[in-house]
Amino acid sequence: DIQMTQSPSSLSASVGDRVTIICQASQDISNHLNWYQQKPGKAPNLLIFGASNLQSGVPLRFSGGGSGTEFTFTISSLQPEDVATYYCQHYDNIPQYTFGQGTKVEIK
Amino acid sequence: QLDLVQSGGGLVKPGGSLRLSCVGSGFNFNDYYMSWIRQTPGKGLEWISYISISGHTIVYADSVKGRFAVSRDNAKNSLQLQMSSLRAEDTAVYYCARGRGGYSDFWGQGAPVTVTS
């Protein structure tokens, strides 16, 4: 089974900072990688699909990149409303889905 | 307006059963595959089941295989998860989500399930 490892598990940054989260796959997954945002008490919300495609309606400060085994998720300018936990998710052709452990983002 | 409304969560004893439902509105339900994902208290997300648009392809995570059964009724825009032989470790918030192209682009509000004696 493919394992997804996210880092860091949490981070604290100032408003306006650039924030980057890493997701590593245990083997090559091409671009089969999505990113979700989950705010406390809410369901997850899709931000990025196919590693780098911004979901409709998602602010442009969010972006994703990478392929193969290493992926990045970036918030170009952190806003107070971005406080949340972010998850990467791999999907394969079976289909099966594997989530990373999550990264909790807080404001310093 | 787009919506996935979940029902059926609650308290159940170990070894018991529970049925979750998820009804879609505001979109063509039979254009999307559906998934169930759960989140244990204070922990992350775990995908547990997939059902294709037709219902002919169903996949389960190993953690629930043989105990959970997913079904859908496209005429009623509904998705069900029948959970049996429940264990304490099944305690979680259960989400239904619609999917397309490998991603889940809209989720239900979640249904809490607590398995305790």
Side-chain angles (χ1 to χ4, degrees), chain A residues 1 34 36 38 42-46 49 55 87 89 91 94-101, chain B residues 33 35 37 39 43-47 50 57 59-60 62 95 101-105 107-108:
Chain A
D1 289 359
N34 307 316
Y36 296 85
Q38 186 179 31
K42 300 291 187 182
N45 181 45
L46 176 71
F49 62 94
Q55 171 69 347
Y87 294 91
Q89 178 208 41
Y91 60 95
I94 295 178
Q96 292 181 131
Y97 305 83
T98 306
F99 289 91
Q101 309 97 307
Chain B
Y33 66 80
S35 297
I37 300 109
Q39 186 165 34
K43 297 279 179 73
L45 298 163
E46 179 190 15
W47 166 83
Y50 159 96
T57 299
V59 184
Y60 298 101
D62 289 344
Y95 294 99
Y103 53 86
S104 296
D105 69 346
W107 298 51

Side-chain angles (χ1 to χ4, degrees), chain A residues 10-27:
Chain A
S10 65
L11 65 89
S12 181
S14 300
V15 172
D17 280 356
R18 183 180 184 88
V19 167
T20 298
I21 299 168
I22 303 291
C23 185
Q24 292 182 305
S26 58
Q27 56 186 277

